[in-house]
Amino acid sequence: MSAEETFSAAYLAENKGPSILGSTIAVSIASTLFAGARLFVRGKILRQLHLDDYLIIISVLAGWVSLAMAITAVANGNGRHFDTLSLQQKQDVILWTIVGFPPGIISFGVPKLAVVALLTRIMNPSRWHTIFLWALTGLCNVALMGCTVILFAQCQPSRSQWNFSVPGVCWDRWILVHYAIFAGAFSAFVDLYLAIYPALVLAKLKLNVKKKIALTVALGIGSVSTVVAIYKCTRLPALASPDFSYDTSDLIIWTIVEGSTIIIASCIPILQPLVDVLFGKRALGSSSDPRYKYQHYGTDRSGPRNLKSDIDMPSVHRSGHHMHGKPAQNEEGASEYELTRGPASKSSQESILERNRLPSDGAIVRTDVFTVKVSQAKPGESDRGMGF
């Protein structure tokens, strides 16, 4: 008996394939554009790539591999009801859907490491908090990759999952579902923590209110991926569904959407220099004011820490040399921080200039996240403003 005689026309017509393709291709293109803009800022404007940029490149590539697997799965019948497919289509759908999950997991797991790389560089957390942040995101990635291990280990041999001619013994499918829900919830928690952490730190700083809100939104926009991760957890029971090709459609969509969302969120804080160029605040490759420049400050925890917080922003601590922040107004009338370079020994200062090329007195410095103005402090002058 043919499928047309067994199922109604409406049942046969149900197909989520177009939705899979439309949504996943759209978000993948969007995340790639944001990543491209990020690399343009770092490579062309700031002229320096960092660890987080390379991690984002890995994430984008993994996202496109996952998308390619999703497209192949759709071409073989994914999105349609499983019992309406031919034997070969059923096998191919299972194979390409399963193969697409590992790169999908990488696409939303690795950006968490990129966010930590950015936050630890610009916010200068304490040594133990830095270790905690890396350990938290590292453990999250290990937990997420555990889903891949269970996915391929739940049947012995593994190919028996997609090759029906191979006999095999499988675990209860709900083992994978329950573990995946745990890993997904852990991932959502990490995203939320990485979004709240900079907001709590910024709340303690005496920043201009508008700048504080802008920085909080830019650095905390990753909270959107928390919502996506939580919703995706509600789609995970589809892994145990007998209607595999139809019910896993939403899971494929939200796996790629989650990866694209966190990539976009991690790129937004980096794009300030590009916004300045687009709105004419700074000409690409030139500047009307030689004191106005872009420079990214690194971090070094060998200097004293006066702020009773886990973070120093936008101060820079160097061995034998540190900066203190106080509110200032730049030529554009925007509230900034005036970083005052305190006295240091000649040998130490020469080493700093050689390593970091600090700007001269009065320079307006725009980093990829915040704006500062540098001025020289007179020997013996007491530190004012914020106690960085």
Side-chain angles (χ1 to χ4, degrees), residues 13-343:
E14 290 181 335
N15 185 5
K16 294 183 178 180
S19 298
I20 296 175
L21 297 179
S23 56
T24 56
I25 291 175
V27 296
S28 296
I29 291 175
S31 64
T32 303
L33 291 175
F34 272 87
R38 176 197 188 109
L39 295 178
F40 178 81
V41 168
R42 286 284 175 78
K44 185 68 174 179
I45 301 178
L46 302 179
R47 300 185 183 280
Q48 185 177 11
L49 296 179
H50 297 281
L51 173 61
D52 49 310
D53 300 309
Y54 295 107
L55 292 173
I56 289 299
I57 292 173
I58 293 173
S59 304
V60 171
L61 293 177
W64 278 101
V65 172
S66 180
L67 176 62
M69 300 300 102
I71 292 174
T72 306
V74 170
N76 285 279
N78 199 17
R80 295 165 54 193
H81 289 288
F82 196 69
D83 49 8
T84 65
L85 305 178
S86 66
L87 177 62
Q88 187 60 48
Q89 286 178 318
K90 292 177 180 178
Q91 294 182 132
D92 290 340
V93 163
I94 294 175
L95 171 61
W96 294 112
T97 300
I98 290 178
V99 170
F101 282 135
I105 290 173
I106 292 173
S107 73
F108 65 80
V110 172
K112 302 180 197 303
L113 300 173
V115 172
V116 170
L118 174 66
L119 293 179
T120 55
R121 190 172 65 253
I122 67 173
M123 291 192 157
N124 198 24
S126 67
R127 178 173 179 269
W128 289 111
H129 197 189
T130 299
I131 293 173
F132 171 76
L133 289 172
W134 282 110
L136 180 67
T137 51
L139 183 60
C140 180
N141 274 269
V142 170
L144 290 172
M145 293 311 298
C147 295
T148 299
V149 174
I150 297 177
L151 184 63
F152 287 96
Q154 63 181 343
C155 289
Q156 295 296 325
S158 294
R159 66 179 184 278
S160 64
Q161 295 185 71
W162 58 82
N163 190 338
F164 298 165
S165 64
V166 177
V169 177
C170 298
W171 306 339
D172 187 340
R173 294 180 181 179
W174 285 96
I175 294 177
L176 173 61
V177 172
H178 291 149
Y179 180 84
I181 291 175
F182 155 73
F186 187 18
S187 176
F189 166 75
V190 172
D191 290 340
L192 184 61
Y193 183 87
L194 295 179
I196 292 178
Y197 165 57
L200 293 177
V201 173
L202 289 169
K204 300 177 182 179
L205 300 181
K206 297 177 182 178
L207 278 167
N208 172 276
V209 175
K210 291 182 179 179
K211 182 177 285 288
K212 182 181 293 189
I213 293 175
L215 284 171
T216 300
V217 172
L219 295 172
I221 200 167
S223 58
V224 175
S225 61
T226 302
V227 178
V228 175
I230 292 174
Y231 181 78
K232 191 194 68 176
C233 287
T234 66
R235 307 292 96 190
L236 289 170
L239 292 170
S241 172
D243 197 357
F244 184 85
S245 57
Y246 187 81
D247 289 340
T248 57
S249 298
D250 290 343
L251 182 57
I252 292 174
I253 291 173
W254 288 101
T255 296
I256 296 177
V257 167
E258 182 179 5
S260 298
T261 300
I262 193 170
I263 289 173
I264 292 172
S266 66
C267 290
I268 287 177
I270 313 300
L271 304 184
Q272 179 62 44
L274 181 59
V275 174
D276 290 344
V277 169
L278 293 177
F279 285 90
K281 293 183 179 180
R282 180 182 189 273
L284 183 61
S286 64
S287 176
S288 58
D289 185 347
R291 300 182 305 159
Y292 187 82
K293 61 183 73 177
Y294 278 91
Q295 178 168 327
H296 187 87
Y297 288 106
T299 56
D300 189 325
R301 296 168 189 86
S302 57
R305 298 180 59 84
N306 298 318
L307 180 63
K308 295 180 179 179
S309 170
D310 223 7
I311 198 165
D312 283 336
M313 180 180 175
S315 66
V316 182
H317 294 274
R318 293 290 178 188
S319 180
H321 176 111
H322 61 278
M323 293 184 176
H324 303 274
K326 65 178 181 178
Q329 296 286 325
N330 66 8
E331 289 89 335
E332 301 168 354
S335 294
E336 302 171 336
Y337 274 91
E338 182 175 291
L339 298 187
T340 305
R341 289 197 272 175

